[in-house]
Amino acid sequence: MNLKHLFVAILLTVVLPSYLLRAQDDSTTTLDAAYTRPFITNIGSSSTAIGGYLEGNTNYFAEDGISEGLSMELRRFNVFLFSTIGQRIRFLAELEFEHGTEEIALETAQLDLEIDPALVLRGGIVLVPIGANNVNHDSPRWEFIERPLVATEIIPSTLSEIGFGLNGNLAFDRWVLAYDAYLLNGLQNDVILNSEGRTWLQAGKSEELLAEDNNGEPAFSAKLALRQRDYGEVGLSFYRGVYNSFEREGEAIDDARSLSIFAIDVATEIEKARIHAEFAFNAIDIPANLDELYGDAQWGGYVEVTYPILESPLFGFENASLLAGLRLERIDYNVGSFAATGRNRGDEIDALAFSLSFRPSADAVIRANYSHHWITDLLGNPSIKRAGFQFGFASYF
Amino acid sequence: MNSDNSTGSADNYPFQQYCPARRRPVTINFLCLLLLIVPILLLPSCDSILPSAPASEDVLAEPVEDLSPEQLALHISGDIEFARVFGAADGLGPVFVAASCESCHVGDGKGHPLTTLTRFGRLADGVWDPMPDFGGPQLQQRAIDGFAPEMIPAHATGVTRLMPPAVTGLGYLELVPDETLLALADPDDADGDGISGVAQYVDPPDYFQPQPGSIPIDGRYIGRFGKKAGAIDLLQQVVNAYKNDMGITSDFEIDDLFNPQAGGNTVDEVADPEVPASTVHSVVFYIRTLKVPPRRDADNPEVLAGEEVFKRINCSGCHTPVLQTGPSDIEALANVEIYPFTDLLLHDMGAELNDAYIDVGEEPGEWRTPPLWGLGLAADSQGGRMFLMHDGRAATLTEAILLHGGEAAASRAAFQALSASEQNQLLRFLESL
């Protein structure tokens, strides 16, 4: 099954009718098509909004005494486009410029057709609902400049893929139950045998991820999130797909190998302390001959607490706040022990980070971070220490 | 908590649902104090806020001093290539053992059972066959997607496993004149000490350039690298490593490796050469210009006493303490005294270490004396314990010594006859190397 075709089918059944409805009692010909597009004909009724965010940082890191010096970066410039096409059809796109114009990605381009708040059909380039950080990752929302390791190294954030599926919210009393379920193209070959020399899901995000599947087997991802308005939210999510090109020109050249991700995320607030935690577990089919060198199981997790030390008008900003935060993390790229020695396979990172951030308003943040990583190699040799300071800003616009 | 209906999804961008304004009194309570105090408590326990470099005497991976800026730049390029991990898309394989030089020679140190090399062959009617039709002599037990790895053929008669050695100080060993090695050799044991070192003579590859002062015999040159001294110089060693350990073709070895057991010329699809000659040369230069392994506690009286014991029981009969380098195009390496504790010669080490495997034409029980410098740092690259001797079977220095047989049997017996405190001194000395 080719998901690209399904995406096109959705566009045809959802977008085109809305265009046609508008065009009915119209005197223009197809030659005017460029200027009869709804975004122009609707000027004034403000159906479209443009937004985005900007993030810039200064970094100073040292690893075992070797400093990389001071570096400044415009890490992200993301532009959002939101449009309502008719009553219950919404379109949302996000274009990301990372590190200047080094990486440009269409991170989201999704069309929602709301049948009911409890049943929304969605198709396009969607953020895969695995863990919480993958979908909720806009930098101005966080007190830490770096995303948690579990969300980049174990869950390959930002993971957005071509797909389609359903989502919805069911609210009763003080509870909200939300679900998301999609069919997707799925991660691709370089999950193993990549230039990292380890099992690394990030490497499975090839350019073609947004074009064509490498194996014709769709991946599946789903999430259930339960929110109690007084206590917080818990999410359970899952992803599974075949990652290797096991067929070529219709001939089987290999076994189909799949990978699965299970994640649990928690967000809550206790005594004004905001707590976020996320844990993810990967299981990857690896050819027997690559066992141990490439991990077939990985996990990672983090817990983060941020606390508003000060919430009052400050420097003329009405809703200013000052927050302090602490984050603890651990990831293991290669779970298990060596058959030859019985000792633990390393390839692990432990990390600790602190933050101090100033928010002139809820949508903008200026933050200072310190982080310390203890990196242990696969063989379990004495760990490498990497630490540094970061200073940066991020703001919605 | 906000009381909106949304969960942590991408839908609630502020331009859609603006966050309610917050204004609260200034509060500082227990949790907030904790957030400030925990950092302060944790920090001093780390070695420092920004991690400092480990002491030079505790690391192998450093360049020799006194390199010119151009040389240092080339050294660093080679370092990056040495660490480069090859993926399938970069030409790794199709069959291979590991994906980077660094993964076997971690931090330029010794390796681990995960990355040992396996070699095999067959002795039939007194003729050694390295079994090229079955992928011999070296096994590539791993393969990229869609390819079958090699297996040891059932009719192989000899199989050996080789623990990756450290690669530091080798630029100096390359410069020890042939003349010196031949003077140390004693093929017929003329001095009657039971030790009869022989030089390994190897057919050079076609890209080989002899060094001034080489002493070839019938077009064959003295090998000095590898556990059986099968490589004449570092270029040959590195070209072979790219090809046979990683399945990476170079300008020197343009034909890709494949698994003959899978049949046909089943190579990978990446265009050859997968690395250019310049990359190979930079890696060779990197290895040539790695410093000699550093010593620790060299002046400790116990260590000094151990050094005396080492000489007295004739460990130094093979592990030659002092050698002198010859001339070199790298000033820093030329004409210096080094302390590698090797004679670079082959010795029969007895039945226990005989894997019935022949690399070049030596007796199967013969091994090149390994340098002992860097021994004290072995565990830092081997995963916190040691894997000594050619296949890593010895977990401790004592185990390694007790495995010495053949020409080294007398030294082993002398070691066993030492008092506990002398044995201890000897071990302290070895750890200081």
Side-chain angles (χ1 to χ4, degrees), chain A residues 284-326:
Chain A
I284 308 103
D285 285 344
I286 300 289
N289 73 79
L290 299 182
D291 194 27
E292 298 195 350
L293 204 55
Y294 294 87
D296 58 3
Q298 307 183 312
W299 78 273
Y302 87 102
V303 180
E304 179 182 304
V305 187
T306 52
Y307 189 84
I309 320 175
L310 203 75
E311 290 182 306
S312 74
L314 212 65
F315 311 124
F317 294 104
E318 267 299 291
N319 300 309
S321 56
L322 195 64
L323 296 102
L326 168 68

Side-chain angles (χ1 to χ4, degrees), chain A residues 313-372:
Chain A
L314 212 65
F315 311 124
F317 294 104
E318 267 299 291
N319 300 309
S321 56
L322 195 64
L323 296 102
L326 168 68
R327 182 194 274 176
L328 295 171
E329 329 185 49
R330 183 181 180 83
I331 58 168
D332 186 346
Y333 291 106
N334 196 338
V335 175
S337 53
F338 290 111
T341 62
R343 293 196 173 203
N344 178 42
R345 287 183 231 160
D347 215 359
E348 295 161 356
I349 304 178
D350 291 299
L352 170 71
F354 307 109
S355 75
L356 194 64
S357 51
F358 171 63
R359 286 184 176 273
S361 80
D363 299 337
V365 60
I366 297 174
R367 52 200 168 182
N369 291 175
Y370 169 79
S371 63
H372 197 117

Side-chain angles (χ1 to χ4, degrees), chain A residues 104-115:
Chain A
I104 303 175
L106 186 57
E107 207 173 85
T108 315
Q110 65 190 28
L111 201 61
D112 284 4
L113 175 65
E114 186 183 293
I115 292 168

